[in-house]
Amino acid sequence: MVKMKNAGGGAQPGRTNRLTDTNLLLAITVVVFLVMYIGAMLFLKKGFLKPQTFFNILNANAALIITSCGMSLVMITGGIDISVGGVVALVSMSCAVYLDYHGGSLITSLLIALGIGLAFGAVQGFLVAYLDIQPFIVSLAGMFFARGMTTIVHTAPFNVANEAFVGLKDTRINVPGLGTVNKLGKYVNAYVEIGVIVALLIVVILYCVLKWTKLGRNFYAVGGNRQSALMLGVDVKRTRFLSHLFCGLLAGIGGYVYFLHVGSGSASHAMGMEMNAIASSIIGGTLLTGGVGNIFGTFVGVLSLSTIQNIVSSIGLDQAWWTGITVAAMLCLFLVIQSVILARKR
């Protein structure tokens, strides 16, 4: 059991290579992000010097942070879940229709979001863990099903006019001392949306779960070597099931946070979010082979992904393909780094 504890992130003497790899990948991710953002502040300036620019990155990507954390849990156990974008869209559309067309309440709409996420997580987790079906195939079916159900719930996009929801959506939490003076000489407070607070809480909770709980150590053990984990007494099927269940739940929460940010329902919402979540997890140091990863790294991975997109846009390369090329280059860079680390371990 000592080996499992070290693999899960316990700061014990004589820790294993897996823990060292996790810390090394995290350090690389943080350094790359800081170099990019500080470089943008020094050479591009523009809005990067304003604290609100950083907070806007958080506001726009709160839902992605949450879904990426769920993706990291699954990837740490050696799986994958490409249905999260479809679940986010389904949650957004279902809650929008419920609030606008059925006069629903905020609490009930939140329960709907959590129920949808849990349902997807439970079904996919059961198929993957207990029927031993490949996670990619299961979650691919889940993605198609979620996208199809989104269109069935409602076809045309629309903005939600529910007063309680609009009031919650427009709620801003001021960040003291980091405001700026606008062109009219008026001081404007820096702010974050409610979704950012939710995302940060989830990052902290999951970081603690992975680092200091038995369940977190089991995630790493199963991703590192299922047979060894089984011999050490880990319930591998239950652990894999829980990783998908939590991923589905986080997709439901992320869907509601996304809904709070955009304030509308549309079948085209969250297109490609599952790929951004995978990319953020990889950039954050989560290995595709499983057993290595860090939730804080995933958080920084989301920030890095968004920052490089903002940099590309700021230098005048507004065409969509330039963003795709730069993201691909960054992803390839981190995949090469991971390969080098794995080769070093071998």
Side-chain angles (χ1 to χ4, degrees):
M1 296 300 289
V2 174
K3 186 180 291 187
M4 284 172 49
K5 185 172 184 178
N6 291 339
Q12 302 292 329
R15 53 191 171 182
T16 63
N17 284 338
R18 190 172 298 125
L19 176 60
T20 304
D21 293 342
T22 299
N23 287 338
L24 178 58
L25 289 169
L26 172 61
I28 293 171
T29 301
V30 172
V31 169
V32 169
F33 168 69
L34 290 176
V35 168
M36 283 195 306
Y37 204 89
I38 294 174
M41 293 173 66
L42 292 176
F43 298 107
L44 295 179
K45 297 181 180 180
K46 296 183 179 179
F48 284 98
L49 293 173
K50 298 179 180 179
Q52 187 58 49
T53 299
F54 177 76
F55 293 132
N56 285 339
I57 291 176
L58 292 176
N59 291 332
N61 291 281
L64 179 59
I65 291 171
I66 297 171
T67 54
S68 297
C69 287
M71 184 70 72
S72 293
L73 291 180
V74 174
M75 290 175 63
I76 286 172
T77 62
I80 198 78
D81 187 345
I82 61 172
S83 69
V84 292
V87 173
V88 167
L90 179 58
V91 165
S92 182
M93 181 66 86
S94 299
C95 292
V97 169
Y98 173 70
L99 289 172
D100 240 28
Y101 289 89
H102 301 282
S105 66
L106 291 176
I107 297 297
T108 309
S109 65
L110 177 58
L111 292 176
I112 290 173
L114 296 178
I116 292 173
L118 282 172
F120 272 83
V123 172
Q124 294 182 160
F126 177 80
L127 294 175
V128 170
Y130 293 101
L131 298 186
D132 203 26
I133 304 176
Q134 285 294 326
F136 179 83
I137 301 300
V138 170
S139 57
L140 180 64
M143 180 185 71
F144 286 134
F145 180 78
R147 288 291 176 186
M149 285 300 299
T150 303
T151 307
I152 290 175
V153 171
H154 199 272
T155 53
F158 66 97
N159 293 321
V160 177
N162 183 286
E163 291 184 4
F165 172 78
V166 172
L168 183 63
K169 175 184 179 296
D170 293 339
T171 300
R172 299 290 184 265
I173 301 171
N174 291 332
V175 182
L178 293 177
T180 55
V181 179
N182 61 19
K183 294 181 180 179
L184 300 177
K186 182 180 178 181
Y187 182 80
V188 180
N189 287 314
Y191 69 88
V192 294
E193 298 175 0
I194 291 178
V196 174
I197 305 301
V198 176
L200 294 178
L201 284 174
I202 287 174
V203 169
V204 171
I205 292 171
L206 291 181
Y207 178 83
C208 293
V209 167
L210 287 178
K211 189 172 181 63
W212 288 302
T213 69
K214 180 180 178 181
L215 178 61
R217 294 191 291 271
N218 288 349
F219 282 153
Y220 286 102
V222 170
N225 190 311
R226 290 181 197 169
Q227 191 61 38
S228 296
L230 191 61
M231 294 173 63
L232 288 168
V234 176
D235 190 336
V236 174
K237 292 183 177 180
R238 178 176 177 271
T239 303
R240 295 181 72 197
F241 172 79
L242 287 176
S243 70
H244 283 275
L245 183 68
F246 290 156
C247 184
L249 176 61
L250 290 171
I253 298 173
Y256 202 81
V257 168
Y258 183 89
F259 178 48
L260 280 174
H261 180 69
V262 299
S264 62
S266 173
S268 63
H269 276 339
M271 282 291 186
M273 179 176 279
E274 57 279 344
M275 297 304 153
N276 287 333
I278 295 172
S280 299
S281 296
I282 293 173
I283 292 171
T286 304
L287 293 184
L288 287 169
T289 52
V292 174
N294 188 293
I295 291 298
F296 181 69
T298 299
F299 170 69
V300 179
V302 174
L303 298 183
S304 301
L305 199 65
S306 180
T307 298
I308 193 66
Q309 293 170 344
N310 287 352
I311 290 174
V312 170
S313 177
S314 296
I315 61 179
L317 302 176
D318 295 325
Q319 296 88 346
W321 62 79
W322 281 114
T323 301
I325 290 171
T326 52
V327 170
M330 174 178 279
L331 193 57
C332 288
L333 170 65
F334 279 90
L335 286 172
V336 169
I337 292 172
Q338 290 184 4
S339 298
V340 171
I341 290 175
L342 286 174
R344 175 184 62 84
K345 183 161 58 176
R346 285 194 296 267

